[in-house]
Amino acid sequence: MKRLLIVAAAAALASMSAMAAVSPVGLWKTIDDNTGKVRSIVRITQSNGEYKGTIEKLFRSPDQEQNPKCDKCSDARKDKPIIGMTILTGLRADGDDEYAGGQIVDPENGKIYSSKLTLDEDGKKLELRGFIGVSLIGRSQTWVRAD
């Protein structure tokens, strides 16, 4: 009986830790709003409670520059290669499956937006919202887990 209780307790703890393990850390496919095609792979990492996202791969047509530079960026990213660029910074957990307080740069236009993200319940998709000022003024994009 004692052994059965230990096994049941271990199973309960394992399932609780599996539920708590859902986080944005990992590889994500960014999807083009117009075409529905994958545009890039972004790796989200976490250090000291802060989540960051770095572009690992771009999906571009053969006639396009395969690793363009961020010529429209106005900060330290100006004229730096987009592959390897940290585009998402400062996100911190803000409740269950929500992360806020971050910034995201759009390498196509160089603009920096406030950002927040929400994970779906199984951690397979996230909704990233970039905005200026308040969250109502901005746009959302769905990213799909790649790993």
Side-chain angles (χ1 to χ4, degrees), residues 25-30 38-45 52-60 66-68 81-88 107 143 146-147:
V25 171
L27 292 174
W28 294 91
K29 297 176 191 175
T30 68
V38 177
R39 293 193 61 184
S40 67
I41 300 288
V42 174
R43 179 178 301 276
I44 296 180
T45 59
K52 294 181 180 182
T54 303
I55 295 178
E56 288 209 348
K57 184 174 184 172
L58 295 175
F59 295 91
R60 300 172 60 86
Q66 295 304 302
N67 189 11
I82 293 174
I83 296 175
M85 180 177 288
T86 299
I87 60 165
L88 184 64
W143 292 5
D147 55 0

Side-chain angles (χ1 to χ4, degrees), residues 3-22:
R3 178 173 274 181
L4 182 61
L5 286 174
I6 291 171
V7 170
L13 284 173
S15 75
M16 284 181 5
S17 85
M19 286 189 291
V22 175

Side-chain angles (χ1 to χ4, degrees), residues 22-24 27-29 31 44 97 99 117-128 141-147:
V22 175
S23 89
L27 292 174
W28 294 91
K29 297 176 191 175
I31 311 298
I44 296 180
D97 302 326
Y99 302 81
L117 71 82
T118 305
L119 282 169
D120 68 0
E121 26 329 297
D122 63 359
K124 302 280 188 210
K125 291 183 181 180
L126 66 78
E127 181 178 289
L128 179 74
Q141 192 175 52
T142 300
W143 292 5
V144 178
R145 192 172 291 276
D147 55 0

Side-chain angles (χ1 to χ4, degrees), residues 78-132:
K78 174 115 179 109
D79 296 325
K80 299 286 195 266
I82 293 174
I83 296 175
M85 180 177 288
T86 299
I87 60 165
L88 184 64
T89 58
L91 285 170
R92 295 194 174 272
D94 186 32
D96 292 340
D97 302 326
E98 294 183 13
Y99 302 81
Q103 289 188 322
I104 188 165
V105 65
D106 181 345
E108 287 192 14
N109 62 26
K111 293 183 180 177
I112 299 173
Y113 303 94
S114 296
S115 65
K116 66 180 188 174
L117 71 82
T118 305
L119 282 169
D120 68 0
E121 26 329 297
D122 63 359
K124 302 280 188 210
K125 291 183 181 180
L126 66 78
E127 181 178 289
L128 179 74
R129 181 126 182 108
F131 56 95
I132 297 171

